[in-house]
Short mmCIF file of all heavy atoms in Angstrom, two decimals:
data_model
loop_
_atom_site.label_atom_id
_atom_site.label_comp_id
_atom_site.label_asym_id
_atom_site.label_seq_id
_atom_site.Cartn_x
_atom_site.Cartn_y
_atom_site.Cartn_z
N SER Z 126 -18.46 4.37 7.28
CA SER Z 126 -19.49 3.90 8.21
C SER Z 126 -20.49 5.01 8.57
O SER Z 126 -20.09 6.29 8.46
CB SER Z 126 -18.70 3.60 9.63
OG SER Z 126 -19.74 3.37 10.54
N ASN Z 128 -22.21 5.00 11.39
CA ASN Z 128 -22.28 4.88 12.82
C ASN Z 128 -21.40 6.01 13.41
O ASN Z 128 -20.18 5.83 13.38
CB ASN Z 128 -21.95 3.49 13.21
CG ASN Z 128 -21.88 3.38 14.71
OD1 ASN Z 128 -21.54 4.31 15.46
ND2 ASN Z 128 -22.20 2.08 15.20
N LYS Z 131 -18.67 4.80 15.84
CA LYS Z 131 -17.52 4.12 15.13
C LYS Z 131 -16.61 5.13 14.53
O LYS Z 131 -15.39 5.03 14.50
CB LYS Z 131 -18.14 3.12 14.18
CG LYS Z 131 -17.41 1.87 14.09
CD LYS Z 131 -18.07 0.98 13.07
CE LYS Z 131 -18.65 -0.26 13.61
NZ LYS Z 131 -19.12 -1.17 12.64
N GLU Z 159 -24.80 -5.34 3.52
CA GLU Z 159 -23.69 -6.32 3.86
C GLU Z 159 -24.15 -7.71 3.46
O GLU Z 159 -24.69 -8.46 4.05
CB GLU Z 159 -23.54 -6.26 5.41
CG GLU Z 159 -23.04 -4.85 5.85
CD GLU Z 159 -22.73 -4.77 7.29
OE1 GLU Z 159 -22.77 -5.86 8.04
OE2 GLU Z 159 -22.36 -3.76 7.75
N PHE Z 164 -16.73 -11.46 7.67
CA PHE Z 164 -16.38 -10.10 8.09
C PHE Z 164 -15.52 -9.34 7.07
O PHE Z 164 -15.76 -8.28 6.81
CB PHE Z 164 -15.73 -10.16 9.52
CG PHE Z 164 -16.47 -10.71 10.60
CD1 PHE Z 164 -16.21 -11.99 11.15
CD2 PHE Z 164 -17.55 -10.04 11.12
CE1 PHE Z 164 -16.86 -12.49 12.21
CE2 PHE Z 164 -18.32 -10.49 12.10
CZ PHE Z 164 -17.94 -11.76 12.74
N LYS Z 171 -17.79 -2.50 1.76
CA LYS Z 171 -18.06 -1.15 2.25
C LYS Z 171 -16.97 -0.22 1.83
O LYS Z 171 -17.17 0.88 1.37
CB LYS Z 171 -18.34 -1.11 3.70
CG LYS Z 171 -19.61 -1.84 4.15
CD LYS Z 171 -19.92 -1.70 5.66
CE LYS Z 171 -19.21 -2.69 6.47
NZ LYS Z 171 -19.60 -2.81 7.83
N ASP Z 186 -14.98 -1.16 8.47
CA ASP Z 186 -14.77 -2.25 9.43
C ASP Z 186 -15.97 -3.08 9.47
O ASP Z 186 -17.11 -2.65 9.16
CB ASP Z 186 -14.26 -1.82 10.75
CG ASP Z 186 -15.43 -1.51 11.72
OD1 ASP Z 186 -16.41 -0.94 11.21
OD2 ASP Z 186 -15.22 -1.81 12.87
N ASP Z 187 -15.84 -4.33 9.87
CA ASP Z 187 -17.03 -5.24 10.18
C ASP Z 187 -16.64 -6.07 11.37
O ASP Z 187 -15.51 -6.55 11.39
CB ASP Z 187 -17.40 -6.00 8.97
CG ASP Z 187 -18.81 -6.54 9.04
OD1 ASP Z 187 -19.78 -5.68 9.33
OD2 ASP Z 187 -19.03 -7.69 8.86
N SER Z 188 -17.55 -6.24 12.32
CA SER Z 188 -17.14 -6.95 13.43
C SER Z 188 -18.33 -7.77 14.04
O SER Z 188 -19.33 -7.49 13.69
CB SER Z 188 -16.68 -5.96 14.55
OG SER Z 188 -17.57 -5.02 14.80
N GLY Z 189 -17.98 -8.70 15.05
CA GLY Z 189 -19.05 -9.38 15.68
C GLY Z 189 -18.46 -10.41 16.62
O GLY Z 189 -17.31 -10.61 16.74
N LEU Z 190 -19.44 -11.25 17.20
CA LEU Z 190 -19.06 -12.23 18.20
C LEU Z 190 -19.23 -13.61 17.55
O LEU Z 190 -20.24 -13.90 16.87
CB LEU Z 190 -20.00 -12.13 19.33
CG LEU Z 190 -19.91 -13.16 20.46
CD1 LEU Z 190 -18.59 -13.05 21.21
CD2 LEU Z 190 -21.12 -13.11 21.41
N GLY Z 200 -21.84 -14.32 14.78
CA GLY Z 200 -20.98 -14.11 13.71
C GLY Z 200 -21.33 -12.77 12.94
O GLY Z 200 -21.51 -11.73 13.54
N ILE Z 201 -21.39 -12.82 11.59
CA ILE Z 201 -21.62 -11.64 10.76
C ILE Z 201 -23.15 -11.13 10.99
O ILE Z 201 -23.53 -10.12 10.56
CB ILE Z 201 -21.59 -11.93 9.29
CG1 ILE Z 201 -22.39 -13.09 8.75
CG2 ILE Z 201 -20.04 -12.17 8.93
CD1 ILE Z 201 -22.53 -13.12 7.20
N TYR Z 202 -23.94 -11.98 11.76
CA TYR Z 202 -25.31 -11.53 12.11
C TYR Z 202 -25.40 -10.95 13.48
O TYR Z 202 -26.52 -10.78 13.99
CB TYR Z 202 -26.29 -12.78 11.95
CG TYR Z 202 -26.23 -13.42 10.53
CD1 TYR Z 202 -25.58 -14.68 10.41
CD2 TYR Z 202 -26.79 -12.65 9.52
CE1 TYR Z 202 -25.54 -15.16 9.04
CE2 TYR Z 202 -26.70 -13.33 8.18
CZ TYR Z 202 -26.06 -14.49 7.98
OH TYR Z 202 -25.99 -14.98 6.74
N SER Z 203 -24.32 -10.66 14.07
CA SER Z 203 -24.27 -10.09 15.48
C SER Z 203 -25.19 -8.96 15.68
O SER Z 203 -25.99 -8.89 16.65
CB SER Z 203 -22.89 -9.69 15.91
OG SER Z 203 -22.05 -10.90 15.90
N ALA Z 204 -25.22 -7.89 14.88
CA ALA Z 204 -26.01 -6.81 14.96
C ALA Z 204 -27.54 -7.17 14.58
O ALA Z 204 -28.40 -6.76 15.25
CB ALA Z 204 -25.55 -5.72 13.99
N ARG Z 205 -27.68 -8.08 13.62
CA ARG Z 205 -29.07 -8.45 13.11
C ARG Z 205 -29.75 -9.27 14.18
O ARG Z 205 -31.01 -9.27 14.27
CB ARG Z 205 -28.89 -9.16 11.87
CG ARG Z 205 -28.75 -8.17 10.70
CD ARG Z 205 -28.36 -8.82 9.32
NE ARG Z 205 -26.91 -8.80 9.16
CZ ARG Z 205 -26.34 -9.21 8.06
NH1 ARG Z 205 -26.99 -9.58 7.00
NH2 ARG Z 205 -24.98 -9.28 7.96
N ALA Z 207 -29.98 -8.73 17.22
CA ALA Z 207 -30.66 -7.74 18.11
C ALA Z 207 -31.94 -7.16 17.53
O ALA Z 207 -32.62 -6.43 18.27
CB ALA Z 207 -29.59 -6.70 18.61
N LYS Z 211 -32.61 -3.10 18.36
CA LYS Z 211 -31.33 -3.23 19.00
C LYS Z 211 -31.43 -3.78 20.50
O LYS Z 211 -30.91 -3.20 21.48
CB LYS Z 211 -30.48 -1.92 19.07
CG LYS Z 211 -30.23 -1.36 17.62
CD LYS Z 211 -29.19 -0.26 17.58
CE LYS Z 211 -29.08 0.50 16.33
NZ LYS Z 211 -29.09 -0.28 15.13
N PHE Z 213 -30.20 -6.06 22.79
CA PHE Z 213 -29.15 -6.91 22.88
C PHE Z 213 -29.39 -7.89 24.13
O PHE Z 213 -28.72 -8.91 24.21
CB PHE Z 213 -27.78 -6.15 23.08
CG PHE Z 213 -27.28 -5.80 21.75
CD1 PHE Z 213 -27.39 -4.53 21.20
CD2 PHE Z 213 -26.58 -6.82 20.97
CE1 PHE Z 213 -26.99 -4.24 19.89
CE2 PHE Z 213 -26.17 -6.38 19.62
CZ PHE Z 213 -26.29 -5.20 19.20
N PHE Z 235 -14.28 -12.23 19.73
CA PHE Z 235 -14.75 -11.16 19.00
C PHE Z 235 -13.80 -10.97 17.83
O PHE Z 235 -12.58 -11.18 17.98
CB PHE Z 235 -14.74 -9.86 19.82
CG PHE Z 235 -15.92 -9.59 20.63
CD1 PHE Z 235 -15.80 -9.44 22.01
CD2 PHE Z 235 -17.17 -9.43 20.09
CE1 PHE Z 235 -16.96 -9.24 22.80
CE2 PHE Z 235 -18.36 -9.16 20.83
CZ PHE Z 235 -18.23 -9.08 22.20
N VAL Z 236 -14.33 -10.59 16.72
CA VAL Z 236 -13.53 -10.47 15.44
C VAL Z 236 -13.71 -9.17 14.90
O VAL Z 236 -14.91 -8.64 14.93
CB VAL Z 236 -13.89 -11.47 14.36
CG1 VAL Z 236 -12.98 -11.35 13.17
CG2 VAL Z 236 -13.75 -12.92 14.89
N CYS Z 237 -12.69 -8.45 14.37
CA CYS Z 237 -12.87 -7.18 13.68
C CYS Z 237 -12.07 -7.35 12.38
O CYS Z 237 -10.85 -7.62 12.41
CB CYS Z 237 -12.25 -6.01 14.52
SG CYS Z 237 -12.32 -4.47 13.60
N GLY Z 268 -20.26 -1.42 28.63
CA GLY Z 268 -19.96 -1.50 27.25
C GLY Z 268 -21.15 -1.35 26.36
O GLY Z 268 -22.10 -0.63 26.61
N PHE Z 269 -21.16 -2.09 25.33
CA PHE Z 269 -22.34 -2.17 24.33
C PHE Z 269 -22.41 -3.59 23.71
O PHE Z 269 -21.59 -4.46 24.09
CB PHE Z 269 -22.13 -1.21 23.18
CG PHE Z 269 -21.04 -1.50 22.33
CD1 PHE Z 269 -21.16 -2.19 21.09
CD2 PHE Z 269 -19.63 -1.19 22.64
CE1 PHE Z 269 -20.07 -2.56 20.25
CE2 PHE Z 269 -18.66 -1.44 21.68
CZ PHE Z 269 -18.78 -2.09 20.62
N GLY Z 270 -23.46 -3.80 23.04
CA GLY Z 270 -23.60 -5.08 22.31
C GLY Z 270 -23.57 -6.34 23.32
O GLY Z 270 -24.27 -6.33 24.41
N TYR Z 271 -22.58 -7.14 22.99
CA TYR Z 271 -22.43 -8.48 23.79
C TYR Z 271 -21.47 -8.34 24.87
O TYR Z 271 -21.18 -9.36 25.51
CB TYR Z 271 -22.04 -9.61 22.82
CG TYR Z 271 -23.15 -9.87 21.65
CD1 TYR Z 271 -23.09 -9.19 20.52
CD2 TYR Z 271 -24.17 -10.79 21.98
CE1 TYR Z 271 -24.07 -9.38 19.53
CE2 TYR Z 271 -25.05 -11.03 20.97
CZ TYR Z 271 -24.98 -10.36 19.75
OH TYR Z 271 -25.95 -10.60 18.80
N ASP Z 272 -20.92 -7.18 25.17
CA ASP Z 272 -19.95 -6.98 26.24
C ASP Z 272 -20.27 -7.70 27.55
O ASP Z 272 -19.32 -8.26 28.19
CB ASP Z 272 -19.72 -5.51 26.50
CG ASP Z 272 -18.74 -4.93 25.44
OD1 ASP Z 272 -18.10 -5.70 24.79
OD2 ASP Z 272 -18.68 -3.77 25.35
N PRO Z 273 -21.55 -7.62 28.08
CA PRO Z 273 -21.73 -8.19 29.43
C PRO Z 273 -21.69 -9.70 29.56
O PRO Z 273 -21.62 -10.20 30.68
CB PRO Z 273 -23.24 -7.75 29.72
CG PRO Z 273 -23.42 -6.53 28.83
CD PRO Z 273 -22.65 -6.81 27.55
N PHE Z 275 -19.23 -11.42 27.73
CA PHE Z 275 -17.90 -11.82 27.22
C PHE Z 275 -16.83 -11.48 28.23
O PHE Z 275 -16.52 -10.38 28.60
CB PHE Z 275 -17.63 -11.04 25.91
CG PHE Z 275 -16.29 -11.58 25.28
CD1 PHE Z 275 -16.34 -12.65 24.44
CD2 PHE Z 275 -15.14 -10.80 25.47
CE1 PHE Z 275 -15.13 -12.98 23.83
CE2 PHE Z 275 -13.94 -11.23 24.86
CZ PHE Z 275 -13.90 -12.34 24.04
N PHE Z 284 -16.15 -7.63 29.54
CA PHE Z 284 -16.01 -6.34 28.91
C PHE Z 284 -16.99 -5.40 29.38
O PHE Z 284 -16.74 -4.17 29.42
CB PHE Z 284 -16.17 -6.51 27.41
CG PHE Z 284 -14.96 -6.83 26.56
CD1 PHE Z 284 -15.00 -7.14 25.18
CD2 PHE Z 284 -13.66 -6.92 27.14
CE1 PHE Z 284 -13.91 -7.46 24.48
CE2 PHE Z 284 -12.49 -7.20 26.41
CZ PHE Z 284 -12.66 -7.42 25.09
N LYS Z 292 -10.94 -1.48 28.45
CA LYS Z 292 -11.34 -2.44 27.42
C LYS Z 292 -10.61 -2.27 26.16
O LYS Z 292 -10.15 -3.17 25.55
CB LYS Z 292 -12.83 -2.33 27.16
CG LYS Z 292 -13.38 -3.23 26.04
CD LYS Z 292 -14.93 -3.03 25.61
CE LYS Z 292 -15.02 -3.57 24.24
NZ LYS Z 292 -16.46 -3.11 23.66
N THR Z 296 -9.24 -5.12 22.78
CA THR Z 296 -10.17 -5.52 21.83
C THR Z 296 -9.74 -5.93 20.48
O THR Z 296 -8.56 -5.63 20.02
CB THR Z 296 -11.18 -4.30 21.41
OG1 THR Z 296 -10.30 -3.26 20.84
CG2 THR Z 296 -11.86 -3.87 22.74
N HIS Z 297 -10.52 -6.70 19.77
CA HIS Z 297 -10.37 -7.12 18.41
C HIS Z 297 -10.21 -5.92 17.45
O HIS Z 297 -9.29 -5.97 16.57
CB HIS Z 297 -11.62 -7.83 18.01
CG HIS Z 297 -12.95 -7.28 18.44
ND1 HIS Z 297 -13.15 -6.97 19.75
CD2 HIS Z 297 -13.99 -6.87 17.73
CE1 HIS Z 297 -14.33 -6.44 19.88
NE2 HIS Z 297 -14.85 -6.39 18.64
N ARG Z 298 -10.88 -4.83 17.79
CA ARG Z 298 -10.69 -3.62 16.95
C ARG Z 298 -9.14 -3.09 17.08
O ARG Z 298 -8.64 -2.70 16.08
CB ARG Z 298 -11.68 -2.54 17.32
CG ARG Z 298 -12.49 -1.94 16.20
CD ARG Z 298 -13.59 -0.91 16.73
NE ARG Z 298 -14.31 -1.46 17.82
CZ ARG Z 298 -15.26 -2.25 17.73
NH1 ARG Z 298 -15.65 -2.76 16.54
NH2 ARG Z 298 -15.97 -2.78 18.78
P1 IMP L 477 -21.17 -3.94 12.73
O1 IMP L 477 -21.54 -2.64 13.13
O2 IMP L 477 -21.86 -4.40 11.43
O3 IMP L 477 -19.68 -4.19 12.63
O4 IMP L 477 -21.77 -4.93 13.77
C1 IMP L 477 -21.01 -5.25 14.95
C2 IMP L 477 -21.98 -5.87 16.00
O5 IMP L 477 -21.14 -6.87 16.68
C3 IMP L 477 -22.39 -4.88 16.98
O6 IMP L 477 -23.73 -4.56 16.80
C4 IMP L 477 -22.25 -5.64 18.31
O7 IMP L 477 -23.49 -6.34 18.46
C5 IMP L 477 -21.15 -6.75 17.99
N1 IMP L 477 -19.88 -6.21 18.53
C6 IMP L 477 -18.82 -5.82 17.75
N2 IMP L 477 -17.83 -5.39 18.55
C7 IMP L 477 -18.29 -5.55 19.84
C8 IMP L 477 -17.71 -5.27 21.09
O8 IMP L 477 -16.48 -4.83 21.27
N3 IMP L 477 -18.49 -5.47 22.19
C9 IMP L 477 -19.74 -5.98 22.12
N4 IMP L 477 -20.32 -6.27 20.88
C10 IMP L 477 -19.62 -6.03 19.86
#
Side-chain angles (χ1 to χ4, degrees):
S126 171
N128 173 329
K131 217 182 242 185
E159 298 185 2
F164 294 112
K171 291 185 274 188
D186 88 326
D187 200 47
S188 58
L190 175 70
I201 58 165
Y202 302 106
S203 293
R205 284 167 266 185
K211 300 195 189 315
F213 281 98
F235 275 119
V236 182
C237 173
F269 67 95
Y271 298 88
D272 279 344
F275 185 83
F284 270 175
K292 177 189 161 188
T296 64
H297 42 310
R298 230 176 314 282

